[in-house]
Amino acid sequence: MRKLVTFMLAAVTALSMTCTVFAAPSPTSIGAVSTTGSTATDANGKAITATVAETTQKPDTAVVESTKLDNATIIGSVDISLPAGTAFPATVTVKVAGVTANTKLVVLHYVDGAWKTENSKCGDGTVTISGLNSCSPFAFVADKTTVTTTTNGTSNGAANGTNGTASPKTGETAAMPMVALIGVLAMAGVVLVSKKSRA
């Protein structure tokens, strides 16, 4: 009996030294304005080259909230430039991952020290900005529940009002109930042996 109790205590000690390990949350990006693959036309319908570059300039919270979008979130901020001598107004289409025709989105354009709303239309993976009379930083603000979520490189539909699914946690959770059970049995054995020793 003493050997059994000793074994149980050793098992509990060994199992208690194990730690439950959870995988780190997978990076999740809500939308992403691409710096490649954009197209543009000038006022005459002539195809021109649009250059899209990343920028750190973004509207503040008050400006984002002024869009009146539910769950308003900045999904991208870029600097768009067109060739010198472009005949305005121009139309630019950029690729935006996670956007669909049902996405609720507002394009903000930083002009003369303030953010203004530009005419825009969402497509499947694209946003078209029309009526542009100048170029500078642009911020794409969307209702995040209408943008698909990219997790581990897989797009999950969010047009139905969800943000996609997060990666499930993984770990050794199954070992915990067993540790608890062995612990209870070991303690019971200790108590039993202790009583017999006193008798």
Side-chain angles (χ1 to χ4, degrees), residues 19-178:
C19 63
T20 301
V21 179
F22 293 98
S26 300
T28 300
S29 61
I30 301 180
V33 181
S34 177
T35 56
T36 61
S38 60
T39 59
T41 55
D42 64 12
N44 302 312
K46 178 183 177 181
I48 54 178
T49 301
T51 302
V52 182
E54 295 182 358
T55 181
T56 57
Q57 188 166 4
K58 298 178 182 180
D60 58 26
T61 301
V63 175
V64 172
E65 292 178 347
S66 71
T67 61
K68 304 301 181 182
L69 290 172
D70 292 331
N71 306 296
T73 302
I74 299 174
I75 64 171
S77 186
V78 295
D79 198 339
I80 301 175
S81 59
L82 297 174
T86 293
F88 290 102
T91 299
V92 177
T93 298
V94 295
K95 291 185 177 181
V96 184
V99 168
T100 70
N102 296 319
T103 297
K104 297 177 181 179
L105 179 143
V106 172
V107 175
L108 299 176
H109 183 191
Y110 194 70
V111 182
D112 298 328
W115 292 94
K116 61 170 287 188
T117 301
E118 294 288 1
N119 293 322
S120 62
K121 182 178 181 180
C122 294
D124 289 332
T126 63
V127 175
T128 299
I129 312 168
S130 58
L132 291 177
N133 291 305
S134 64
C135 288
S136 54
F138 291 81
F140 296 72
V141 181
D143 176 343
K144 65 181 181 180
T145 64
T146 64
V147 180
T148 59
T149 304
T150 304
T151 304
N152 290 334
T154 303
S155 295
N156 304 303
N160 59 0
T162 64
N163 285 326
T165 57
S167 297
K169 292 182 179 181
T170 59
E172 301 169 356
T173 55
M176 297 309 294
M178 184 61 69

